[in-house]
């Protein structure tokens, strides 16, 4: 797909999410004047980050990872010598769950179809999962057998998998929010990311 085709296909996803009345989160979004957060970054990015779901700051601005956890993610991206504009950042669930509760299975089922399409459009070489929800979904999608192990065991690992468009490295990271309350974990995130990218 060329740049225009990618732009159009991603815009189509945005339009569908905007009018997703079937979502259990649609009413909550409108009542609170929130926006869905579909994703942002380079449409030809080699690296895609997949978080869980937008928080309040994200839902107010329609931008992924622009609040406190986003600052951690920005530092992580920088520490790997990259710029935020060079990567693509999205979430498994595109609307904010009330009070930041965990996404429900039916929400994951509904919104993951959009993530699947984003992956096929952008065709990243590396997908870094942020937290256990995107980890579980993507390990299952790509048939990684270790998928039932806890994130405490899997973080920092990179799995070579096959996407429809070619080979892909699935990198398992903790959610950046862990480093907001426990700054020592930033070092773990940084080490995991660098190791996984190199390996
Ligand atoms: N946490 C997430 O998982 N995603 C965001 O976009 C922001 C915070």
């Amino acid at each position: 797909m060329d740049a225009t085709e990618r732009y159009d296909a991603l815009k189509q996803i945005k339009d569908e999410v905007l009018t997703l009345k079937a979502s259990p989160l649609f009413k909550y979004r409108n009542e609170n004047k929130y926006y869905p957060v579909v994703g942002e970054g380079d449409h030809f990015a080699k690296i895609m980050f997949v978080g869980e779901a937008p928080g309040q700051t994200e839902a107010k601005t329609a931008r992924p990872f622009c609040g406190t956890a986003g600052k951690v993610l920005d530092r992580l991206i920088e520490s790997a010598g990259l710029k935020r504009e060079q990567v693509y950042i999205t979430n498994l669930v595109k609307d904010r769950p009330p009070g930041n509760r965990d996404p429900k299975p039916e929400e994951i089922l509904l919104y993951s179809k959009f993530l699947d399409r984003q992956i096929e459009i952008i065709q990243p070489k590396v997908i870094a999962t942020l937290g256990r929800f995107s980890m579980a979904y993507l390990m299952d999608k790509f048939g990684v057998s270790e998928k039932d192990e806890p994130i405490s065991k899997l973080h920092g690992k990179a799995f070579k998998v096959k996407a429809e468009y070619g080979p892909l490295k699935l990198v398992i990271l903790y959610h950046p929010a862990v480093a907001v309350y426990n700054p020592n974990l930033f070092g773990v995130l940084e080490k995991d990311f660098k190791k996984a990218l190199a390996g």
Side-chain angles (χ1 to χ4, degrees):
M1 270 199 229
D2 67 20
T4 312
E5 286 165 337
R6 286 184 190 214
Y7 177 88
D8 289 347
L10 290 165
K11 170 81 169 53
Q12 172 69 26
I13 292 176
K14 203 178 215 166
D15 291 345
E16 286 176 39
V17 175
L18 260 173
T19 55
L20 194 64
K21 295 203 181 72
S23 169
L25 301 173
F26 186 79
K27 194 162 157 262
Y28 178 70
R29 180 214 292 172
N30 284 343
E31 282 170 359
N32 289 281
K33 298 197 164 54
Y34 288 150
Y35 297 101
V37 180
V38 180
E40 73 177 16
D42 185 350
H43 296 176
F44 287 83
K46 297 271 176 294
I47 303 177
M48 177 186 274
F49 287 92
V50 184
E52 179 179 317
Q56 191 176 38
T57 317
E58 289 78 18
K60 281 186 170 167
T61 56
R63 296 191 54 223
F65 283 97
C66 62
T68 347
K71 300 270 179 304
V72 177
L73 180 61
D74 288 348
R75 275 175 64 206
L76 184 68
I77 291 169
E78 249 178 57
S79 77
L82 298 162
K83 293 209 181 325
R84 191 171 157 121
E85 307 77 64
Q86 287 178 289
V87 302
Y88 193 85
I89 305 173
T90 186
N91 284 300
L92 176 60
V93 167
K94 314 296 194 201
D95 276 297
R96 181 186 185 217
N100 291 350
R101 65 154 169 73
D102 288 349
K104 294 185 177 170
E106 63 267 29
E107 292 160 0
I108 294 173
L109 193 68
L110 183 70
Y111 286 98
S112 57
K113 303 284 173 277
F114 299 109
L115 175 63
D116 292 346
R117 284 162 61 189
Q118 287 172 308
I119 294 170
E120 285 302 316
I121 296 164
I122 295 165
Q123 310 197 343
K125 297 269 181 281
V126 175
I127 298 183
T129 63
L130 302 170
R132 62 198 166 94
F133 286 94
S134 57
M135 171 189 98
Y137 176 73
L138 289 167
M139 285 182 81
D140 186 51
K141 172 181 165 75
F142 290 113
V144 181
S145 56
E146 291 91 333
K147 72 181 167 67
D148 295 322
E149 292 188 18
I151 194 164
S152 55
K153 275 233 171 106
L154 292 172
H155 75 93
K157 296 211 161 121
F159 298 96
K160 293 201 166 96
V161 299
K162 268 197 80 63
E164 272 171 41
Y165 57 85
L168 169 67
K169 194 152 79 169
L170 195 61
V171 170
I172 311 300
L173 300 178
Y174 278 127
H175 193 286
V178 297
V180 174
Y181 298 104
N182 184 350
N184 292 336
L185 283 177
F186 184 76
V188 176
L189 263 171
E190 193 180 33
K191 195 167 134 242
D192 285 351
F193 189 46
K194 282 192 184 149
K195 185 185 96 188
L197 278 187

